[in-house]
Amino acid sequence: MMNDMSKIEQGIAVDAVKIQARGVQVFYGEKQAIKDVSVEILDKTVTAFIGPSGCGKSTFLRCLNRMNDTIDICRVNGDIRLDGEDIYDPAIDPVQLRAKVGMVFQKPNPFPKSIYDNVAYGPRIHGLARSKADLDEIVERSLRRGAIWDEVKDRLHEPGTGLSGGQQQRLCIARAVATEPEVLLMDEPCSALDPIATAQVEELIDELRLNYSVVIVTHSMQQAARVSQKTAFFHLGNLVEYGDTGQIFTNPEDPRTESYITGRIG
Amino acid sequence: MTDQAMKEKHIVRSFDTELEAVQAHLMRMGGLVETGLSDAITALRERDVHLAERTVKADRTIDELEELVKTEAANIIARRAPTAVDLRVVLATFTIANQLERSGDHAKNIAKRSITIAQSASLDEVTAAIAHQAKMVQSMLAGALDAFMKRDPDAAQSIRERDAEVDATYNTVFRTLLTHMMEDPANITPGMHLHFVAKNLERIGDHATGIAEQTIYLVSGELPDDDRPRRDQTPTETTEAR
């Protein structure tokens, strides 16, 4: 009842599945990093992946846009579907997939280019702009979505690396949304930011949710509680518990979840 | 909710210390309320005005402890951001502190009235029924606090069920008092005060039930939602049928 109400308040389209993962196993050589994970990631929802270091949450996140393809010894079994389409199908171009499933990393990593070119890079290589005016518009729209337009509009041609850490991270988010992705993966996007910049990014995540499915890996339990509607707890390569964030943080079902989120040894 | 998580210690040990401290203060509060109630009833039965006055004064300590528990609980929320079972412990502690403070006020009110009652005609039959009601309420209160500390939802549930008996005794006292007051107007002063004593006890029974419900919430994450049978029939009671 309460959950239904909060969904209505937040204007969430209830239960539209964006990504469906079934029986996912990941190996790094001989070592199995993900045991057997099945989960449905909802559209227009922020899903938080939490768990201790080495639990597999980042590994699983990186399966969702095939970032693990870049690691030679990594092998992924199972089935991951984006809007019903198998993303590991040989016919799928990982570059195209990553335009649809964007990613933001722990450390802001702007290209050593101008602010403008950082954002324009993706649309250019994917041929999303027909003209200079078109590209200008995409850059402005993306920087606005990244909630950084007002701060950079007068210095678009200065290097992105000259911005503060929080600004760089919002620039990277703007860069990620420039290719009109449908899903945004964020791997600890605030761990290098101060509390103000963190709050700005969290506010941005809340806005992005209106248009995207957002999946965020975070070590900050409070951040997971603040920004997400769904939380998945990973432990030793297993998805231990997945549910509404409110329920996970007030009344988790699994003792391992309880031990972890309350800061007990578990 | 799991026994495992409750027995495990936090990695940050001072968090455990703070949770233990706030609950220890809550239990001290509970002990003082039990003593206050017991003293108030003794003062009533034995017409002991001095004991009644001491009991009224003792309520101040209960109020101070409530402030302390609530401040500590607020600090834990602000500084530790408790989750899951820890959050429920803090919320339950906060709520129980409130219920104990109210119970303390009811005991104080009984003590105050016992001073007036001591100067009026005695209604031994009613006083005995009230003493019986008090015994039930005392045992409920002690049981509810015990169930909370032991995290025992079954014991808490049985406390909830006993509240109906307290309500039933209250109904009996109410009717008996009406009869006495109709018989002899001299009974009206002690009768009115004794009625409030019975009502105070009935309210403490409700608070004990509330404390028991917090234990169920603490363990299961959910408050019991089934309605307990309401046995208080006095809202529709008249003297007509007598």
Side-chain angles (χ1 to χ4, degrees):
Chain A
M1 180 63 192
M2 288 278 282
N3 288 329
D4 292 345
M5 270 168 56
S6 67
K7 274 182 186 156
I8 292 162
E9 279 167 19
Q10 294 160 358
I12 298 172
V14 182
D15 294 346
V17 176
K18 190 69 189 172
I19 297 177
Q20 185 170 50
R22 272 188 305 225
V24 174
Q25 301 180 322
V26 181
F27 298 84
Y28 291 116
E30 291 297 300
K31 193 184 174 303
Q32 186 166 8
I34 297 285
K35 300 279 167 59
D36 182 11
V37 169
S38 298
V39 67
E40 288 181 343
I41 305 288
L42 304 183
D43 198 13
K44 304 199 188 332
T45 300
V46 180
T47 304
F49 288 177
I50 60 169
S53 293
C55 68
K57 58 191 189 297
S58 289
T59 297
F60 187 72
L61 185 81
R62 295 160 66 90
C63 290
L64 301 180
N65 69 346
R66 292 181 56 175
M67 286 296 281
N68 290 326
D69 287 16
T70 58
I71 302 167
D72 287 339
I73 58 164
C74 182
R75 184 160 56 84
V76 178
N77 295 342
D79 188 46
I80 299 177
R81 289 173 184 274
L82 174 67
D83 288 327
E85 203 176 356
D86 180 2
I87 65 167
Y88 281 87
D89 188 306
I92 296 275
D93 173 5
V95 177
Q96 291 299 326
L97 172 70
R98 287 172 206 144
K100 269 202 210 171
V101 184
M103 192 152 189
V104 176
F105 298 87
Q106 180 170 5
K107 202 160 164 277
N109 56 349
F111 303 137
K113 291 169 178 284
S114 71
I115 292 165
Y116 184 99
D117 286 337
N118 261 279
V119 180
Y121 181 81
R124 273 191 191 124
I125 62 163
H126 289 287
L128 300 178
R130 284 182 305 273
S131 63
K132 172 79 170 70
D134 230 14
L135 193 59
D136 287 351
E137 199 192 306
I138 291 173
V139 169
E140 178 175 342
R141 187 172 64 228
S142 304
L143 288 168
R144 282 187 189 281
R145 281 200 189 152
I148 193 179
W149 170 252
D150 288 338
E151 291 158 65
V152 300
K153 62 178 183 231
D154 298 324
R155 45 170 171 157
L156 290 175
H157 298 285
E158 290 173 25
T161 46
L163 297 169
S164 74
Q167 287 173 327
Q168 285 187 20
Q169 193 61 305
R170 281 179 286 144
L171 174 62
C172 291
I173 293 169
R175 186 178 65 190
V177 299
T179 57
E180 296 290 333
E182 296 164 25
V183 179
L184 208 51
L185 308 179
M186 300 180 141
D187 194 352
E188 296 194 49
C190 299
S191 58
L193 305 185
D194 75 9
I196 304 287
T198 298
Q200 286 165 337
V201 171
E202 287 180 2
E203 166 63 14
L204 174 56
I205 291 171
D206 211 40
E207 285 167 22
L208 293 172
R209 177 168 67 85
L210 300 175
N211 296 305
Y212 310 101
S213 172
V214 180
V215 186
I216 176 171
V217 163
T218 174
H219 269 139
S220 161
M221 243 102 56
Q222 284 311 305
Q223 178 168 63
R226 286 192 300 262
V227 303
S228 72
Q229 290 78 50
K230 291 279 182 182
T231 296
F233 170 59
F234 288 81
H235 188 237
L236 302 174
N238 295 301
L239 174 60
V240 170
E241 188 166 350
Y242 171 68
D244 288 335
T245 298
Q247 176 250 318
I248 297 277
F249 283 92
T250 57
N251 193 17
E253 280 174 13
D254 194 286
R256 289 168 290 176
T257 316
E258 180 122 43
S259 288
Y260 180 68
I261 64 166
T262 59
R264 289 174 165 86
I265 299 157
Chain B
M1 175 56 216
T2 61
D3 294 340
Q4 188 192 331
M6 285 190 295
K7 282 175 199 137
E8 281 172 349
K9 297 282 179 199
H10 286 93
I11 298 166
V12 179
R13 277 176 295 170
S14 55
F15 191 0
D16 285 322
T17 313
E18 287 175 20
L19 282 173
E20 282 159 19
V22 70
Q23 292 177 85
H25 292 139
L26 184 74
M27 286 304 117
R28 211 171 116 214
M29 219 186 142
L32 290 179
V33 173
E34 285 181 48
T35 307
L37 175 57
S38 157
D39 286 350
I41 295 300
T42 306
L44 174 75
R45 285 173 63 188
E46 297 178 4
R47 298 181 162 246
D48 184 341
V49 174
H50 293 297
L51 179 58
E53 282 166 350
R54 280 206 305 279
T55 307
V56 170
K57 277 196 195 124
D59 185 56
R60 202 175 303 156
T61 314
I62 296 172
D63 292 349
E64 283 167 6
L65 274 170
E66 186 208 15
E67 280 303 308
L68 176 66
V69 167
K70 288 190 167 176
T71 305
E72 287 174 329
N75 276 333
I76 292 174
I77 290 172
R79 294 178 47 242
R80 305 283 183 189
T83 55
V85 64
D86 298 331
L87 177 66
R88 300 201 303 273
V89 165
V90 175
L91 293 179
T93 300
F94 198 93
T95 308
I96 293 172
N98 208 32
Q99 275 155 338
L100 286 175
E101 189 276 331
R102 300 297 304 140
S103 301
D105 282 353
H106 290 305
K108 178 170 95 173
N109 192 266
I110 292 171
K112 269 188 189 168
R113 289 180 190 282
S114 76
I115 297 170
T116 316
I117 292 165
Q119 288 144 14
S120 325
S122 60
L123 293 169
D124 290 340
E125 177 201 349
V126 179
T127 311
I130 285 177
H132 172 65
Q133 189 192 6
K135 207 163 232 155
M136 286 193 286
V137 169
Q138 283 168 321
S139 126
M140 279 174 72
L141 193 60
L145 293 169
D146 196 44
F148 175 74
M149 285 319 285
K150 288 184 180 149
R151 312 296 196 240
D152 183 346
D154 298 331
Q157 180 55 31
S158 76
I159 302 287
R160 289 183 79 225
E161 284 156 11
R162 279 156 61 189
D163 194 40
E165 292 173 55
V166 176
D167 290 354
T169 312
Y170 170 65
N171 292 334
T172 311
V173 169
F174 185 92
R175 279 194 221 100
T176 315
L177 281 170
L178 274 185
T179 312
H180 282 295
M181 288 190 282
M182 283 193 301
E183 272 169 15
D184 183 354
N187 288 337
I188 289 179
T189 298
M192 289 300 290
H193 286 294
L194 283 169
H195 165 251
F196 277 113
V197 169
K199 187 66 196 170
N200 278 318
L201 289 172
E202 189 270 330
R203 295 295 298 138
I204 298 175
D206 287 347
H207 290 305
T209 305
I211 294 168
E213 285 168 357
Q214 287 302 310
T215 299
I216 295 171
Y217 165 72
L218 168 55
V219 177
S220 71
E222 279 168 32
L223 279 171
D225 54 0
D226 55 311
D227 275 337
R228 287 175 299 117
R230 290 284 160 207
R231 296 282 174 82
D232 181 1
Q233 297 145 0
T234 58
T236 54
E237 195 83 36
T238 67
T239 55
E240 308 299 317
R242 244 145 256 276

